[in-house]
Amino acid sequence: MKILTILIMTFIVLKTNCQANTNHHLYPLILIPGAGGNQLEARLTSKYKSTSFLCNKWYPIKKDSEGWFRIWFDPTVLLAPFTKCFNQRMMLYYQKELDDYCNAPGVDSRIAHFGSIKSLLYLDPNLPKITAYMEPLVNALQELGYRDGDNLFGAPYDFRYGLAAEGHPSHVGSKFLKDLKGLIESASNSNGGKPVILVSHSLGGLYVHQLLCRNPKSWIQKYIKHFIALSTPWGGTVEQMVTFASGNTLGVPLVNPLLVREEQRSSESNMWLLPSPKVFSNQTPLVITPNVAYSAHDIPKFLEDIGFPQGVLPYTLRIFPMVENFTLPHHMPPITCIVGCGCKTPETLFYGDAEFDKSPEIVYGDGDGTVNMVSLLALEANWDNKSTRQSLKVTKLRGVSHTGILKDEIAVEKIVEEISCINSENAAHVSLVSKA
């Protein structure tokens, strides 16, 4: 009886103090970034055809011995002549005969440091102070005892690509899911078989959701301890309609949005992030012109009317069936959603003269400044605890923006607290075993 009392008291102490020292009992953790948080490299081949002198093969001058150079993030994108060059090289092309996307002719691309958190710290390591991305969060995780390549890993990806509905190929996106699954298994095996904590930001959460939907219960129970989703746009964003209609500089100064609009329209993942008709009501107009109002259920017509008819086929064949089938398998692991709120977020766009080359007037609503509240909370709205038999926790942080969630002191503290609590369960289990 005395031993049982000690065990219970030990468990209570660990559960009520999530900041307990659990350095030796940490679950391995993998960070999956959002779209713009990935570093992308490119290389030009003999098939590359320049459209201008400045965008010739000599640019940029700085390349490695095999011709690879940084394409995202590269600060020269701020200069108009090089913005056009960036647009040309970042373009994706939908090949109807293959029903899949590919790079621009003559452009190879790759992600550096898969498996490591090195490429997730900054958008550009040469400008660490002004392009910090996951560095504040990683620093906090290191204080808990996490170490890169030991029990802390990163899963960057080519953020231009996405996934497609069942029956449609998505070579690049599917390869990322395969690589992520392999990384999860490797991280678990190298840490004594402990299951993995997945921490995603933004688009990364949609990839994790698809990974969970596409794998069996037995695999998830063996390898996934917990999924922490930060700022996940479960149902897309209204802001994405601005991106397709008028271009979006994402807050980068000096850039003409029309110079990057073509590239942004070509992005498979951007199409994935258009407002989902499963989440946004057909009674809610998102874009309004003098003659037409478009809801999330009118995306094909919207794409036609903004002058992007080539986007209709891939949207209707590949994207719509996938977002329309937004479901939660019965074998989901425990999930924690941490989201910002109370930030002005585009909710309705007014194009007074139906001129989509101009920026719209915007009516704002609640969200994290990028993702609307209805999208941030879509997982909770679709959660059925009885069928999933797992827990869902949602934490709202007022005044914390979409990317600020990775830097804001209170937000980082909340994320680390959640991770500490998950790890304290492991410490409690180890304590119980040793006391017995």
Side-chain angles (χ1 to χ4, degrees):
M1 186 68 181
K2 184 178 180 181
I3 293 177
L4 179 60
T5 302
I6 292 173
L7 296 180
I8 293 173
M9 290 302 296
T10 301
F11 181 77
I12 291 173
V13 169
L14 286 167
K15 286 297 287 182
T16 55
N17 180 15
C18 291
Q19 298 300 327
N21 183 4
T22 60
N23 289 10
H24 300 295
H25 311 300
L26 297 174
Y27 290 105
L29 188 150
I30 297 177
L31 296 171
I32 304 97
N38 294 275
Q39 294 182 27
L40 187 63
E41 296 180 348
R43 178 176 64 182
L44 306 179
T45 72
S46 58
K47 295 181 180 180
Y48 177 74
K49 303 297 182 184
S50 173
T51 56
S52 69
F53 173 75
L54 285 177
C55 200
N56 217 316
K57 284 186 178 181
W58 65 267
Y59 168 75
I61 297 175
K62 186 178 179 180
K63 303 182 183 73
D64 70 12
S65 59
E66 296 180 341
W68 291 98
F69 60 91
R70 176 182 303 281
I71 191 170
W72 179 265
F73 172 73
D74 176 10
T76 60
V77 72
L78 302 177
L79 305 175
F82 298 111
T83 304
K84 293 180 180 179
C85 187
F86 167 83
N87 178 80
Q88 176 190 348
R89 294 174 176 182
M90 286 283 285
M91 285 278 294
L92 294 185
Y93 291 86
Y94 176 65
Q95 295 184 307
K96 185 177 179 181
E97 64 279 7
L98 299 177
D99 185 26
D100 204 355
Y101 284 82
C102 66
N103 281 355
V107 180
D108 291 339
S109 60
R110 72 179 184 184
I111 290 294
H113 307 299
F114 183 83
S116 170
I117 51 89
K118 290 180 182 178
S119 67
L120 308 184
L121 301 176
Y122 319 100
L123 302 186
D124 185 346
N126 299 313
L127 301 168
K129 290 186 178 181
I130 62 175
T131 67
Y133 180 55
M134 284 191 169
E135 184 207 21
L137 176 58
V138 168
N139 289 342
L141 291 174
Q142 289 174 336
E143 290 181 9
L144 284 183
Y146 280 101
R147 296 293 179 266
D148 186 27
D150 181 8
N151 53 8
L152 179 63
F153 308 88
Y157 53 93
D158 190 333
F159 60 91
R160 301 170 301 162
Y161 288 89
L163 292 169
E166 185 177 356
H168 296 272
S170 188
H171 177 72
V172 175
S174 296
K175 182 181 184 303
F176 170 66
L177 283 193
K178 181 179 178 181
D179 292 343
L180 176 57
K181 182 178 181 180
L183 179 61
I184 290 169
E185 294 174 355
S186 174
S188 174
N189 293 336
S190 65
N191 281 271
K194 296 189 189 80
V196 174
I197 300 173
L198 300 176
V199 180
S200 69
H201 179 237
S202 192
L203 178 64
L206 298 186
Y207 268 110
V208 173
H209 174 251
Q210 288 295 318
L211 177 76
L212 298 175
C213 289
R214 300 179 186 203
N215 279 282
K217 178 180 180 180
S218 58
W219 184 86
I220 292 174
Q221 289 181 331
K222 180 178 180 179
Y223 288 109
I224 308 299
K225 174 62 181 177
H226 204 106
F227 173 26
I228 300 176
L230 311 176
S231 307
T232 303
W234 302 106
T237 76
V238 173
E239 184 179 73
Q240 206 63 19
M241 298 185 85
V242 180
T243 300
F244 275 83
S246 311
N248 193 340
T249 64
L250 304 175
V252 178
L254 307 178
V255 176
N256 181 347
L258 295 180
L259 293 181
V260 294
R261 182 176 64 179
E262 185 181 19
E263 176 270 324
Q264 291 174 334
R265 287 178 171 180
S266 78
S267 167
E268 184 180 17
S269 62
N270 279 346
M271 192 169 288
W272 191 5
L273 292 171
L274 283 165
S276 166
K278 187 72 176 283
V279 173
F280 288 82
S281 169
N282 63 353
Q283 301 299 315
T284 304
L286 306 179
V287 176
I288 299 175
T289 71
N291 300 314
V292 184
Y294 306 90
S295 74
H297 295 248
D298 302 314
I299 296 298
K301 179 171 175 52
F302 170 75
L303 295 175
E304 284 272 6
D305 291 351
I306 63 173
F308 186 53
Q310 59 269 43
V312 174
L313 183 64
Y315 175 81
T316 54
L317 286 181
R318 300 166 56 85
I319 302 299
F320 176 76
M322 182 171 63
V323 299
E324 179 67 13
N325 192 35
F326 177 66
T327 56
L328 299 169
H330 297 326
H331 50 269
M332 293 292 273
I335 299 177
T336 299
C337 295
I338 303 178
V339 303
C341 64
C343 300
K344 289 173 55 179
T345 305
E347 192 165 272
T348 311
L349 315 174
F350 289 90
Y351 287 90
D353 53 4
E355 179 51 69
F356 293 111
D357 287 348
K358 299 178 182 178
S359 297
E361 293 183 22
I362 301 176
V363 172
Y364 294 92
D366 196 7
D368 66 7
T370 299
V371 185
N372 309 88
M373 214 64 214
V374 67
S375 181
L376 290 168
L377 301 181
L379 189 70
E380 182 182 33
N382 285 272
W383 191 266
D384 183 350
N385 188 53
K386 292 181 180 179
S387 64
T388 60
R389 298 186 182 277
Q390 290 293 1
S391 64
L392 172 66
K393 176 182 177 182
V394 177
T395 299
K396 302 175 188 176
L397 303 176
R398 181 157 292 278
V400 175
S401 70
H402 189 69
T403 55
I405 203 166
L406 299 172
K407 306 171 187 177
D408 179 88
E409 187 175 337
I410 294 176
V412 171
E413 184 179 310
K414 283 289 185 182
I415 297 166
V416 172
E417 178 184 329
E418 188 69 25
I419 293 168
S420 297
C421 286
I422 297 166
N423 279 305
S424 71
E425 297 172 11
N426 189 35
H429 173 72
V430 172
S431 180
L432 289 170
V433 172
S434 62
K435 291 285 185 181

